[in-house]
Amino acid sequence: MIVLQEFKKYSMIQRLKTHQRYYETLFLFLLSCYCFALSLFRLIYSDTLVFIFLNVNLFLAFLPWFFSSLLIIYPKLQQSKIAVTLLLCTWLLFFPNAPYILTDLFHLRHQFSMPVWFDLALILSFAWTGLLFGLLSLWDIEQVLRNFLPPRIIPLVSVLLLFLGSFGIYLGRYLRWNSWDILREPFGILYDISDRLVNPLDHPRTWGMTIIMGLFLNMVYWSFHFIRDRTA
């Protein structure tokens, strides 16, 4: 009942302003509109549907930010362990979708209906926006976890979550699993995961990509941390 009252108490815009999320939300919305406009221009100019799927990928990248934002703008949700657990699990399930768009750069070598510089700018725009959704959502998760974990543990958890996100990117890019497949085909995805955990030497590409991509995501994430701390 308390949680329901919390949802009804203020308008969404009021909540965003109260929790200093209004300009962040507006900025991310404008970036998403810019990405959509680029993809629409490409569709009209080239008369092909190439890269239109990036809009779906960006929506999936938006979801972890949406779930983490709920915990921030509705702080009473953090008083319910069930609500926190459900939202954290859902966040983790969709978190790999945020940096996943980086791997769509692979498609550059297969498309020739537009200048390569345009497609590069197109994919990078989507990838950057998706990455922002993911990194900002991870900051939210850090804030929530401070209520449950010692502060010195939080950075280690963030590092681990970024490597888990990298592993999720591998599952999506090479094994073609989607976030919702954990509900549609749980045994299939759990088998693929367990096989790589039990027999790591049989899957060098899995761990090679997970480690290198995980290091890259940590490099970007902690760079943002230093920039934020310097300007604070």
Side-chain angles (χ1 to χ4, degrees):
M1 181 63 68
I2 294 177
V3 172
L4 290 176
Q5 290 175 348
E6 179 73 2
F7 271 86
K8 297 176 181 178
K9 194 173 180 181
Y10 303 107
S11 71
M12 181 61 70
I13 292 180
Q14 286 177 314
R15 286 191 174 280
L16 292 174
K17 290 182 176 179
T18 299
H19 298 281
Q20 290 79 48
R21 301 303 290 267
Y22 179 75
Y23 290 108
E24 175 183 316
T25 303
L26 181 61
F27 179 67
L28 291 171
F29 174 74
L30 292 175
L31 286 183
S32 300
C33 288
Y34 170 71
C35 291
F36 175 73
L38 280 180
S39 67
L40 185 62
F41 175 82
R42 194 191 196 288
L43 170 66
I44 296 172
Y45 187 85
S46 67
D47 196 26
T48 66
L49 293 174
V50 174
F51 293 136
I52 201 69
F53 65 86
L54 288 172
N55 292 284
V56 177
N57 289 353
L58 187 59
F59 172 74
L60 294 174
F62 153 80
L63 291 178
W65 179 82
F66 171 75
F67 293 126
S68 69
S69 294
L70 287 179
L71 288 168
I72 300 302
I73 65 176
Y74 295 101
K76 285 191 176 180
L77 286 174
Q78 298 182 38
Q79 298 176 12
S80 169
K81 291 184 178 179
I82 295 177
V84 171
T85 301
L86 287 175
L87 284 171
L88 285 179
C89 289
T90 307
W91 173 86
L92 182 59
L93 190 63
F94 285 93
F95 175 63
N97 292 294
Y100 174 86
I101 306 178
L102 288 167
T103 65
D104 287 321
L105 287 166
F106 294 171
H107 296 297
L108 273 177
R109 57 190 173 188
H110 301 302
Q111 304 301 330
F112 306 99
S113 53
M114 289 286 285
V116 68
W117 58 262
F118 180 88
D119 285 342
L120 176 63
L122 172 71
I123 297 175
L124 286 177
S125 297
F126 275 91
W128 180 254
T129 306
L131 197 58
L132 282 179
F133 277 126
L135 298 183
L136 290 172
S137 75
L138 184 52
W139 275 348
D140 291 341
I141 297 303
E142 286 183 347
Q143 183 176 333
V144 173
L145 291 179
R146 289 190 185 97
N147 299 324
F148 305 95
L149 298 174
R152 65 180 181 278
I153 300 297
I154 302 300
L156 297 177
V157 173
S158 296
V159 170
L160 176 62
L161 289 172
L162 288 166
F163 276 104
L164 287 175
S166 179
F167 182 67
I169 293 173
Y170 173 83
L171 293 177
R173 171 54 62 189
Y174 288 105
L175 302 187
R176 309 310 297 167
W177 290 113
N178 296 308
S179 298
W180 51 86
D181 285 329
I182 194 66
L183 300 176
R184 295 175 52 204
E185 299 183 58
F187 295 109
I189 191 170
L190 289 176
Y191 172 80
D192 280 342
I193 293 173
S194 61
D195 181 42
R196 281 153 179 79
L197 293 175
V198 175
N199 304 298
L201 297 180
D202 293 339
H203 305 282
R205 183 169 68 174
T206 301
W207 302 112
M209 178 175 178
T210 297
I211 292 172
I212 298 301
M213 183 63 74
L215 289 172
F216 172 75
L217 294 179
N218 272 280
M219 179 182 72
V220 174
Y221 184 64
W222 294 107
S223 296
F224 269 89
H225 254 286
F226 282 115
I227 294 171
R228 182 183 65 171
D229 292 344
R230 183 171 180 175
T231 57

